[in-house]
Amino acid sequence: MIKKVILSACLLISFVSFAQQGTASPYSFFGIGDARFKGTLENRSMAGVAVEQDTIHLNLENPASYASLIQTTFTIGGTFATSNLKTSTQSEKAQRSTFDYLALGIPMGKFGASFGLIPVSSVGYKILSDNSTTEGATSSQLDGKGGVNKVYFGLGYKIAKGWNIGADAQYNFGKITTTSVEAVTGIQNGTAEVNTSEISGMAFSFGTMYQRKIYKKVSLFSSLSYSFASNLNSDNTRVISVQGDPDPYVADVKPTELKLPNKLSIGLGIGEARKWLVGANMTFQGDGQLRNFYNSADNIDYENYSKFAVGGYYLPNYNSFTSYMSRITYRAGLKYEKIGLIVNNESIKDIGMTLGVGIPIPQSFSNLNFGIEFGKRGTVSSNLVQENYVNFSLSFSFNDKWFVKSKFQ
């Protein structure tokens, strides 16, 4: 297990080295950026459906799931994302590699615990308005980078057979930097404004999961989780300078407080454990108060977030000794999201499809997961940008027994 952890740490370093900018979306200009975490790859490959009390995979969507673990589980995931950004007249391509999550789950009898590191949101955009061919016109360039991460600790408890409850606490932290450069054609020096926000705050959530057999080997699965509204403290700085001037002006900017909205997720499914599952998830979230001092605009508003997803998996024969292919898990899902942002009176939506496979590592419960997600976000209407994306994801889930008493003294 130690070798596996070292290998995963090396992979994490590789992911992080490429993950300085976790998004290339112009919509990350707003609020605290694009929402990054969408579940572990096992659940994400089913469009986010996470209703089964899995015993060997971590379900980070509901802390009640930790109580079902039977082995210590270490998981890490990353994504290579490609997107085509287009308006009604232009088109650009973007690529980035990102770290998605790092987590450890530990079974403790009726209890189960988990802790880890998860990117919450990312800011990454570059918007250019070039009017340099017109005398006296203003050209501008907007750049943004950074985001918010969280470390969490969660605890689950098995109340009765098939019924778990759980809760977790998260500490959110991060830094967002935005740069605005303006130049007037015919004037030698332009001006630059750099805004920095250092963000921090606590958040809490709880959940419950219940499952029971309804016909022979077929079971009904259910999941409910709720995240409380929480505050993020933002310590802000603003530096304004004229190009070529070595003495910039540092503005007096007061700290601000952002509000993360409450979030409710409900899931139902039906299936045979370790064989097949079909399920659906519904997620609802308030509109929050995410306007910071640098990104307010008259054409921007926020609305309630919502997501609807259906998905499932099929595992031909998990304990087959003669056919390795029979032990591969096949996953798929569909999703429809309203991301909670209104631009130019257009509600921004994200529609996508996911596919994935779970490949077992011989002589263990560990596995390697591959996933692909493709879809469309936004629209070319109302002078907006449409993102057609394809995301390729990879994760490792290592399982082992810890704290086993030796049989020999």
Side-chain angles (χ1 to χ4, degrees):
M1 184 66 182
I2 298 298
K3 291 181 179 179
K4 296 173 183 177
V5 172
I6 293 173
L7 172 61
S8 299
C10 293
L11 291 169
L12 170 61
I13 293 171
S14 300
F15 283 137
V16 171
S17 66
F18 290 105
Q20 300 304 311
Q21 185 168 299
T23 182
S25 171
Y27 295 113
S28 68
F29 172 84
F30 310 105
I32 58 174
D34 280 347
R36 280 284 309 281
F37 182 68
K38 299 180 180 180
T40 59
L41 186 53
E42 292 91 335
N43 300 133
R44 185 175 173 181
S45 295
M46 298 185 289
V49 173
V51 297
E52 188 178 14
Q53 296 179 27
D54 203 322
T55 58
I56 61 172
H57 300 112
L58 269 175
N59 172 6
L60 301 180
E61 296 289 330
N62 192 327
S65 66
Y66 308 149
S68 293
L69 292 174
I70 60 173
Q71 288 194 337
T72 299
T73 302
F74 178 82
T75 185
I76 183 173
T79 294
F80 174 71
T82 66
S83 56
N84 181 40
L85 312 175
K86 68 176 185 178
T87 66
S88 56
T89 58
Q90 294 179 305
S91 178
E92 294 288 344
K93 295 185 181 298
Q95 297 179 344
R96 66 270 183 206
S97 297
T98 62
F99 158 66
D100 291 340
Y101 55 85
L102 170 71
L104 180 71
I106 304 173
M108 299 181 295
K110 288 189 174 183
F111 287 91
S114 178
F115 58 91
L117 170 66
I118 298 174
V120 176
S121 69
S122 286
V123 174
Y125 60 85
K126 182 174 290 187
I127 303 172
L128 176 65
S129 175
D130 187 0
N131 298 308
S132 58
T133 58
T134 304
E135 188 70 20
T138 300
S139 298
S140 63
Q141 179 173 310
L142 303 175
D143 292 273
K145 62 182 180 179
V148 177
N149 306 293
K150 72 177 180 182
V151 289
Y152 78 93
F153 175 78
L155 195 66
Y157 177 70
K158 186 174 290 294
I159 294 179
K161 183 179 179 180
W163 184 19
N164 296 357
I165 60 172
D168 63 22
Q170 308 114 33
Y171 176 71
N172 298 292
F173 64 97
K175 182 178 180 180
I176 297 173
T177 302
T178 65
T179 303
S180 173
V181 178
E182 290 190 353
V184 178
T185 306
I187 297 179
Q188 183 177 5
N189 296 324
T191 60
E193 178 182 294
V194 180
N195 297 302
T196 302
S197 293
E198 295 190 1
I199 295 171
S200 62
M202 294 292 297
F204 302 91
S205 63
F206 75 90
T208 183
M209 303 184 78
Y210 180 75
Q211 65 184 51
R212 62 170 298 175
K213 288 185 178 180
I214 56 175
Y215 178 74
K216 294 184 179 179
K217 296 182 179 181
V218 178
S219 297
L220 177 70
F221 305 94
S222 64
S223 172
L224 183 148
S225 62
Y226 183 82
S227 299
F228 295 94
S230 59
N231 294 326
L232 292 176
N233 300 313
S234 179
D235 294 324
N236 309 312
T237 60
R238 170 174 286 168
V239 178
I240 301 173
S241 62
V242 177
Q243 292 176 341
D245 186 349
D247 188 20
Y249 168 71
V250 180
D252 182 19
V253 182
K254 296 181 179 180
T256 53
E257 189 174 79
L258 312 178
K259 184 176 181 180
L260 292 176
N262 51 14
K263 179 180 178 181
L264 174 67
S265 182
I266 303 170
L268 287 173
I270 188 173
E272 181 182 335
R274 297 183 297 277
K275 182 69 175 180
W276 62 273
L277 171 76
V278 177
N281 261 84
M282 299 179 293
T283 303
F284 306 97
Q285 183 172 294
D287 58 5
Q289 297 172 12
L290 299 174
R291 290 179 177 86
N292 211 332
F293 75 105
Y294 59 83
N295 65 0
S296 60
D298 294 335
N299 64 331
I300 305 302
D301 204 357
Y302 296 91
E303 64 176 348
N304 292 342
Y305 167 95
S306 61
K307 176 182 177 181
F308 302 90
V310 294
Y313 73 81
Y314 175 66
L315 175 57
N317 186 355
Y318 78 95
N319 61 357
S320 173
F321 292 101
T322 58
S323 174
Y324 180 80
M325 298 298 293
S326 295
R327 293 188 283 123
I328 294 178
T329 304
Y330 303 89
R331 305 181 179 101
L334 297 168
K335 69 170 185 177
Y336 173 86
E337 286 182 88
K338 293 175 67 175
I339 70 171
L341 183 64
I342 299 175
V343 185
N344 293 343
N345 296 318
E346 288 277 356
S347 176
I348 307 302
K349 302 176 178 65
D350 188 338
I351 303 170
M353 179 178 182
T354 59
L355 298 170
V357 293
I359 301 174
I361 297 175
Q363 299 179 345
S364 73
F365 288 109
S366 303
N367 56 83
L368 174 68
N369 298 285
F370 293 98
I372 181 171
E373 177 183 18
F374 47 92
K376 179 187 75 171
R377 180 164 66 162
T379 176
V380 297
S381 302
S382 304
N383 297 317
L384 298 180
V385 177
Q386 178 177 305
E387 302 175 25
N388 297 319
Y389 60 84
V390 181
N391 301 328
F392 302 92
S393 299
L394 171 68
S395 79
F396 298 89
S397 180
F398 299 125
N399 300 79
D400 206 348
K401 288 186 177 182
W402 286 14
F403 314 115
V404 178
K405 186 177 181 179
S406 174
K407 294 182 180 180
F408 303 97
Q409 298 297 329

